[in-house]
């Protein structure tokens, strides 16, 4: 399951794309420092987009919900099938993501990019800070689509741009949004 993705998106790209699709970015006092990152790992902070007023807010949030039981790891991926998500929806921007195959180290590393787009968004959920647990997000998963199935038995939910507002605002049923993309939507490249 996805435990490594990249975000090489500039602030100006966020502003431009979000304005084009009717999700204006609520501007901070100053443009945030968004270093390009080729590897974002669980428990690291990463940008998310969440509803704020009539627009969306770009926030840096920790990847992985706090564990629900002692000695468990953070919840970085969350199965979406048959579930309803009435609150806490977010978009998790990415340039590409990785899956790994093999049983011996180093495993084969596969890079997935969105066909004809420089960046895309995963469907995610976020939670506010509570007690010792910081504000955090998780990525939603679904059955693999034809581009991912040869490599992994699950995949992250990658939303089309015209679905971003529907995900944030709950204007379409989850089952219509939380599904794999059709064949050819993702480009696959072995990078190791």
């Amino acid at each position: 399951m996805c435990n490594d993705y990249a975000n090489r998106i500039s602030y100006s790209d966020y502003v431009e794309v979000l304005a084009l699709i009717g999700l204006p970015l609520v501007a901070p006092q100053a443009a945030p420092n968004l270093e390009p990152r080729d590897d974002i790992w669980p428990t690291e902070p990463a940008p998310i987009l969440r509803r704020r007023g009539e627009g969306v807010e770009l926030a840096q949030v920790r990847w992985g919900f706090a564990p629900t039981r002692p000695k468990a790891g953070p919840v970085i991926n969350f199965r979406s099938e048959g579930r309803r998500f009435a609150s806490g929806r977010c978009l998790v921007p990415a340039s590409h993501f990785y899956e790994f195959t093999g049983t011996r180290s180093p495993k084969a590393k596969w890079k997935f990019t969105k066909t004809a787009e420089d960046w895309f968004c995963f469907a995610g959920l976020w939670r506010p800070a509570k007690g010792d647990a910081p504000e955090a997000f998780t990525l939603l998963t679904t059955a693999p689509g034809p581009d991912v199935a040869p490599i992994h038995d699950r995949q992250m939910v990658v939303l089309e741009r015209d679905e971003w507002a529907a995900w944030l605002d709950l204007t379409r049923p989850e089952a219509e949004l939380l599904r794999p993309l059709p064949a050819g939507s993702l480009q696959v490249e072995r990078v190791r």
Side-chain angles (χ1 to χ4, degrees):
M1 192 48 50
C2 182
N3 65 359
D4 184 8
Y5 71 95
N7 183 318
R8 302 187 61 75
I9 307 159
S10 70
Y11 183 69
S12 61
D13 286 342
Y14 284 116
V15 172
E16 179 183 339
V17 170
L18 292 169
L20 283 173
I21 62 172
L23 288 173
L25 192 60
V26 177
Q29 301 257 337
N33 182 11
L34 299 171
E35 292 293 323
R37 295 170 62 195
D38 284 321
D39 293 290
I40 298 172
W41 301 98
T43 73
E44 294 181 350
I48 66 166
L49 297 164
R50 59 188 173 194
R51 227 358 142 179
R52 182 169 171 211
E54 295 299 313
V56 292
E57 170 186 47
L58 180 66
Q60 292 279 354
V61 177
R62 179 184 187 264
W63 181 13
F65 290 163
T68 56
R69 59 187 194 281
K71 298 185 183 179
V75 179
I76 61 170
N77 299 316
F78 196 83
R79 189 178 285 262
S80 67
E81 291 92 343
R83 293 192 164 122
R84 304 239 347 145
F85 304 102
S87 64
R89 294 166 173 234
C90 68
L91 300 168
V92 181
S95 303
H96 53 271
F97 66 97
Y98 302 104
E99 291 294 353
F100 299 86
T101 57
T103 56
R104 303 179 111 189
S105 187
K107 294 181 177 183
K109 187 174 185 179
W110 302 87
K111 178 181 175 182
F112 294 82
T113 54
K114 184 83 168 60
T115 301
E117 292 179 6
D118 292 336
W119 63 282
F120 57 89
C121 285
F122 297 118
L125 299 173
W126 74 277
R127 290 183 180 163
K130 184 176 180 181
D132 291 339
E135 188 172 48
F137 74 92
T138 190
L139 301 175
L140 294 177
T141 68
T142 189
D147 298 329
V148 176
I151 295 164
H152 207 284
D153 62 352
R154 299 286 298 161
Q155 79 166 67
M156 310 321 303
V157 175
V158 176
L159 297 168
E160 296 287 3
R161 286 187 178 175
D162 64 359
E163 298 172 332
W164 293 358
W167 172 245
L168 291 175
D169 298 336
L170 190 59
T171 57
R172 288 176 48 196
E174 282 94 339
E176 288 182 19
L177 300 169
L178 304 176
R179 58 171 180 14
L181 296 172
S185 298
L186 297 170
Q187 298 297 311
V188 185
E189 172 188 5
R190 184 174 179 162
V191 293
R192 180 179 70 209

